[in-house]
Amino acid sequence: MSAPSQPQKSTYDVIVIGAGIQGSFTAYHLAQRHKDTLLLEQFLLPHSRGSSHGQSRIIRSAYPQEYYSRMMPDCFRLWQQLEAETGTPLYRQTGLVLLGPPGEPELEACRRSLGGGEVLDAAALAQRFPGFRLQAGQVAVLDSSAGVLFADRALRAVQEVFRRHGGTLRDGEKVLHIEPGAMVTVTTTCGVYKAPRIIITAGPWTGAFVEQLGLRLPLQPLRIDVCYWREKQPGSAGLGTVTPSFLTLGLSQAPHGIYGLPSIEYPGLMKVCHHHGSPIDPEKRDQVSSSAPRPDISVLSSFISSYLPGLETQPAVMETCLYTNTPDEDFILDRHPKFSNIVIGAGFSGHGFKLAPVVGKLLCELSLGEEPSYNMTHFAITRFPGVLGAA
């Protein structure tokens, strides 16, 4: 995306590898701190090969883990700041209902994170949101501040502001090698760059990069089915823009959780997905057979029959996305244990998009040697034993 006529610089203050939402927000914060920053992306933008594409993501205040819920006010503020900087709407408030059995520990933790949170029984939920059905004895916790982030639009917006602040974004340029040192050398398909600090935010490709640097992080890329379900009769399921997003917690019908977003991307279709997928090599994502069995679809079909009876029970549109999961589904945000000028942001486990403004701030602070704004204990590399091998 740099103009071909411009002379290509080779030295920067910071190099960020991977221009998904996490890397782009990291570069955004660095540029706002007046650091000469190079953001590298292996694919031509926009692309749908990673984890940041698509039109919508849930944003919510409710979180079972207190260390994430504490970050959310800052996230909402930074998303609003980005909207103001670009004059682009990035968020629609829809509310979120968390569905589960009463007393379920994660559901209760979410309710506490909301300062109490309104609790609806089956009858109250059906009256407030006619498209939803709860099973007997189950409840819904309402997060009224939650909504939908316009993902593609948000990614473009943060990259636009990064470049406006003097940052350099080079896409279609794959990183081939990283050589540690006081000045880290990054070799790509188009050139060689040097910087005293680098940040790796390469999504499902992160594991391969850090193996070059003697780290074996427990990162598992997963291929996720992103499914859209049609109303049986137009207007019958109440899928207008006022329909809330939803998330299940502790339902036996959905051991990994199911989430849904209102009809925004495709009119008359609701996005409902299983928070789970199949292990995959990100380089071979497109080689998966379309005839391979998709067990997640049967889980979703059964859930829709019971909880969203106004929808057809087979998906009308199917797309794919990649998650990169850690064993505990908490992020990795840390300096390399051996090379402190190399910072790693990885393992966002399918719930990182909403938190990207704060993740970017934390990775920026780590890279600049500053005290992070939040407690980083849950994001440390050292929580996984035996990760440091021979470089």
Side-chain angles (χ1 to χ4, degrees):
M1 295 179 76
S2 298
S5 59
Q6 294 176 339
Q8 186 171 314
K9 278 183 55 174
S10 61
T11 305
Y12 292 85
D13 294 334
V14 193
I15 297 170
V16 180
I17 298 172
I21 196 65
Q22 312 296 347
S24 294
F25 256 115
T26 302
Y28 161 98
H29 284 288
L30 287 162
Q32 290 200 322
R33 302 282 293 276
H34 307 292
K35 301 301 176 186
D36 187 12
T37 305
L38 172 64
L39 177 58
L40 291 169
E41 170 55 49
Q42 65 174 319
F43 301 114
L44 291 170
L45 293 169
H47 71 83
S48 58
R49 300 289 302 278
S51 304
S52 295
H53 66 282
Q55 295 181 47
S56 61
R57 297 291 190 281
I58 292 173
I59 182 168
R60 54 190 163 108
S61 298
Y63 243 109
Q65 300 91 346
E66 176 262 350
Y67 43 94
Y68 291 121
S69 65
R70 196 186 299 153
M71 295 176 181
M72 287 313 302
D74 204 6
C75 287
F76 274 99
R77 180 185 63 80
L78 287 165
W79 281 116
Q80 289 164 358
Q81 177 180 305
L82 182 62
E83 282 188 319
E85 285 175 309
T86 58
T88 304
L90 301 176
Y91 161 73
R92 178 180 295 167
Q93 186 173 350
T94 65
L96 170 82
V97 286
L98 299 121
L99 313 176
E104 198 280 330
E106 287 199 333
L107 190 64
E108 281 299 302
C110 283
R111 190 180 62 80
R112 287 193 298 272
S113 75
L114 296 169
E118 186 179 358
V119 180
L120 307 174
D121 62 15
L125 181 69
Q127 184 172 15
R128 181 86 64 92
F129 306 114
F132 288 87
R133 294 287 181 274
L134 277 176
Q135 305 307 294
Q138 295 174 350
V139 296
V141 173
L142 179 61
D143 176 353
S144 58
S145 68
V148 174
L149 290 168
F150 303 128
D152 285 344
R153 198 185 295 177
L155 185 60
R156 288 194 301 271
V158 71
Q159 291 169 353
E160 176 192 325
V161 176
F162 165 65
R163 297 176 74 192
R164 198 188 294 167
H165 281 82
T168 302
L169 172 55
R170 298 187 65 87
D171 63 345
E173 190 159 345
K174 185 175 183 176
V175 172
L176 303 174
H177 186 67
I178 300 167
E179 184 64 38
M183 288 291 283
V184 184
T185 303
V186 177
T187 303
T188 76
T189 48
C190 300
V192 178
Y193 307 97
K194 292 180 182 288
R197 52 186 73 86
I198 73 165
I199 302 168
I200 301 172
T201 51
W205 289 269
T206 300
F209 280 128
V210 300
E211 277 195 15
Q212 294 181 26
L213 304 168
L215 270 184
R216 285 184 173 82
L217 295 179
L219 296 171
Q220 178 60 69
L222 298 175
R223 181 181 187 269
I224 306 298
D225 291 323
V226 181
C227 302
Y228 300 84
W229 310 75
R230 192 183 310 280
E231 294 173 289
K232 289 177 178 174
Q233 294 183 353
S236 64
L239 295 187
T241 55
V242 295
T243 302
S245 302
F246 75 86
L247 187 65
T248 72
L249 292 168
L251 291 184
S252 58
Q253 300 95 323
H256 298 280
I258 290 173
Y259 66 92
L261 293 87
S263 176
I264 289 175
E265 296 172 57
Y266 300 105
L269 303 184
M270 189 170 188
K271 181 177 180 177
V272 182
C273 308
H274 197 198
H275 191 62
H276 186 56
S278 308
I280 194 167
D281 177 346
E283 293 291 344
K284 298 177 180 175
R285 168 182 171 172
D286 296 332
Q287 297 175 22
V288 176
S289 169
S290 59
S291 61
R294 310 290 272 273
D296 290 342
I297 303 303
S298 60
V299 170
L300 290 169
S301 295
S302 174
F303 174 84
I304 282 168
S305 293
S306 299
Y307 290 82
L308 296 162
L311 299 180
E312 299 284 356
T313 56
Q314 290 300 312
V317 177
M318 285 181 59
E319 299 170 347
T320 59
C321 187
L322 296 184
Y323 287 3
T324 307
N325 280 31
T326 61
D328 56 14
E329 296 190 2
D330 282 329
F331 309 158
I332 293 172
L333 310 173
D334 204 354
R335 299 183 184 93
H336 190 293
K338 195 171 177 182
F339 309 114
S340 62
N341 60 343
I342 298 176
V343 169
I344 299 159
F348 295 101
S349 303
H351 66 107
F353 199 101
K354 71 185 82 61
L355 287 145
V358 166
V359 166
K361 180 166 77 167
L362 291 169
L363 293 174
C364 170
E365 291 166 346
L366 285 171
S367 182
L368 299 179
E370 299 172 355
E371 183 69 24
S373 300
Y374 295 88
N375 185 326
M376 302 296 280
T377 304
H378 294 279
F379 312 123
I381 287 172
T382 51
R383 74 186 193 268
F384 302 116
V387 296
L388 191 58

